[in-house]
Amino acid sequence: MAAYGLYSHIQSNRRRSIALLVGLFFLIYLMVYAGALAAEALSVNADSDVLMQLAWNDFLHAAPWATAGTALWVVIAYYFHQNMIDALTGGRDVTRAEEPRLYNILENLCISRGITMPKLKVTESDALNAFATGMSDKQYAITVTTGLLKRLNDAEIESVLGHELTHIRNDDVRMMVVAVIIAGVVSFFAELVFRLWFYNGFGFRGGRSDDRRGGGAAFAILIAVAFIAVAYFLSFVIRLALSRSREFLADAGSVELTKNPDAMISALRKIEGRGELPGATSAVMEMCVDNPRQGFGELFDTHPSVDSRVAALVKFAGGHDPGPLPLPPSDADDDQSDQPPPPSGPWGPAVGEPSEDAGASPDPSSDSPAGPWGPHTGATSQSGHN
């Protein structure tokens, strides 16, 4: 199951990234034309053919501005996407002095395979999750939640970091960021156009007579609405380009890095259903180890189910599935640590005895089990009476 750094997968991701960027401009042009068509239909009383020709002329004048605006959006997202994601998730850079355990695990993984070490970030959240971001070697970063650090052991954390390193190595991260940019810009423009229509454009229905507007205008408006709806839907479907096979490959790459399939399996079982980041958008959740926001019978899911990922690791990597795991110790343990310790005897704390009974005389009639150094006090006195 050696999938780490697969050349064919890397090349496929690079081709997809270029195709997605080209698709972004196509979707923007489609929405610009739809907006021009709707504007002409609302202002000119003419047949649909005439309106479509007028809209085409408007589109040719607006295309350079649309191209420049889209390119500016891409440039801003390229350089500042990490700042935007950190603002949503609360991620912050950490050093070895702040997180020596996490930092050393990641550094050892990178040194063992000669990989450039990405930036390390931590976000304060009880969720169990992690994700990688970046578009180049200087930008790559791995963000880990504090909940994951508390609940997973070193071997499991190493497996999660290996998973994210594989995403970086296979160029999955770059393609996911591009898809997020596309979904964001198309959704923004589609919502903007619809808001303008609903608050301004559709006001003519109540104040204009039907004889001033022929069927051509209504038909043109329907076409414009259909174009924008298609562009918005395609921006959502673009997420399907984030092939779910990338998660299987990242799991496999983690196993190749760590040589520990059981740690990857147990990490997935602990993370399963516990990775929801409240402040994160759906686009950010699609970058995470596990995305609990699933639905439609996995039709539009960006992640395969944990069961299928574990089954693949068991089949191809020889791992062992422990089944769904209970929630690891968390706040309950912290609450217990705040309680006063039980009274101690000469050989340690009195296990199972409440503190208020520590000084009480044992009941002679009770059957007290023998301790490691002989019978308890009650048992001794009882035997003495006998």
Side-chain angles (χ1 to χ4, degrees):
M1 198 173 175
Y4 184 83
L6 285 176
Y7 179 79
S8 59
H9 183 70
I10 296 174
Q11 293 302 314
S12 175
N13 278 341
R14 290 175 179 173
R15 289 192 297 269
R16 286 183 181 184
S17 298
I18 295 174
L20 288 177
L21 285 175
V22 173
L24 169 61
F25 283 89
F26 171 77
L27 292 179
I28 295 299
Y29 293 151
L30 181 63
M31 290 202 305
V32 169
Y33 177 76
L37 182 59
E40 292 293 350
L42 294 173
S43 59
V44 177
N45 187 14
D47 293 336
S48 58
D49 293 340
V50 175
L51 292 174
M52 295 180 73
Q53 183 60 46
L54 292 173
W56 179 255
N57 294 333
D58 294 339
F59 166 76
L60 294 178
H61 287 90
W65 297 100
T67 302
T70 305
L72 179 62
W73 182 288
V74 172
V75 171
I76 292 174
Y78 180 88
Y79 287 104
F80 299 104
H81 70 275
Q82 185 65 62
N83 301 80
M84 300 176 188
I85 294 174
D86 289 343
L88 290 172
T89 62
R92 58 180 178 83
D93 293 339
V94 293
T95 62
R96 188 195 303 274
E98 295 172 313
E99 290 289 345
R101 174 192 176 208
L102 181 63
Y103 197 98
N104 290 336
I105 293 174
L106 179 59
E107 186 180 54
N108 290 338
L109 273 176
C110 294
I111 292 175
S112 66
R113 293 302 296 266
I115 305 170
T116 302
M117 184 170 172
K119 296 177 183 178
L120 190 58
K121 294 177 177 287
V122 170
T123 180
E124 297 290 336
S125 173
D126 291 333
L128 277 66
N129 228 324
F131 58 90
T133 51
M135 295 283 286
S136 64
D137 289 339
K138 294 182 179 179
Q139 293 182 335
Y140 289 137
I142 295 179
T143 303
V144 179
T145 64
T146 53
L148 186 136
L149 292 176
K150 294 176 182 177
R151 313 291 170 71
L152 270 61
N153 60 40
D154 287 0
E156 292 162 347
I157 291 176
E158 183 183 43
S159 295
V160 171
L161 294 177
H163 177 100
E164 297 305 328
L165 282 174
T166 305
H167 275 316
I168 293 174
R169 188 74 168 181
N170 289 351
D171 277 351
D172 294 330
V173 174
R174 182 179 302 166
M175 192 183 68
M176 285 188 284
V177 171
V178 170
V180 168
I181 294 171
I182 293 173
V185 67
V186 174
S187 300
F188 172 77
F189 279 110
E191 184 176 353
L192 177 63
V193 171
F194 275 120
R195 285 181 181 274
L196 289 175
W197 283 5
F198 278 106
Y199 287 107
N200 298 312
F202 286 163
F204 77 93
R205 291 183 300 181
R208 299 180 183 178
S209 59
D210 293 336
D211 56 356
R212 293 184 59 190
R213 193 160 300 280
F219 181 69
I221 291 176
L222 289 177
I223 293 177
V225 172
F227 280 168
I228 294 181
V230 167
Y232 186 81
F233 177 74
L234 288 178
S235 70
F236 174 77
V237 173
I238 278 175
R239 296 175 183 176
L240 296 180
L242 305 178
S243 172
R244 287 182 289 173
S245 64
R246 76 187 190 280
E247 296 300 327
F248 291 112
L249 295 176
D251 292 341
S254 176
V255 172
E256 187 181 1
L257 273 172
T258 64
K259 312 300 182 185
N260 192 349
D262 289 340
M264 187 73 244
I265 291 174
S266 61
L268 288 174
R269 286 302 187 188
K270 288 184 179 180
I271 294 171
E272 182 179 10
R274 299 161 183 153
E276 178 68 28
L277 296 173
T281 63
S282 59
V284 174
M285 292 303 302
E286 289 161 8
M287 299 180 176
C288 294
V289 174
D290 182 41
N291 182 8
R293 301 177 187 177
Q294 308 286 17
F296 300 98
E298 294 193 1
L299 179 62
F300 295 108
D301 292 351
T302 58
H303 286 61
S305 66
V306 169
D307 287 337
S308 60
R309 292 166 68 179
V310 169
L313 290 171
V314 171
K315 181 178 180 180
F316 296 105
H320 300 85
D321 182 14
L325 296 175
L327 188 67
S330 58
D331 297 336
D333 293 336
D334 295 335
D335 294 338
Q336 288 181 351
S337 64
D338 295 334
Q339 300 295 328
S344 300
W347 309 110
V351 180
E353 296 184 5
S355 58
E356 59 267 20
D357 296 337
S361 300
D363 186 3
S365 63
S366 62
D367 296 331
S368 299
W373 307 108
H376 289 299
T377 306
T380 305
S381 60
Q382 185 177 0
S383 60
H385 289 295
N386 291 337

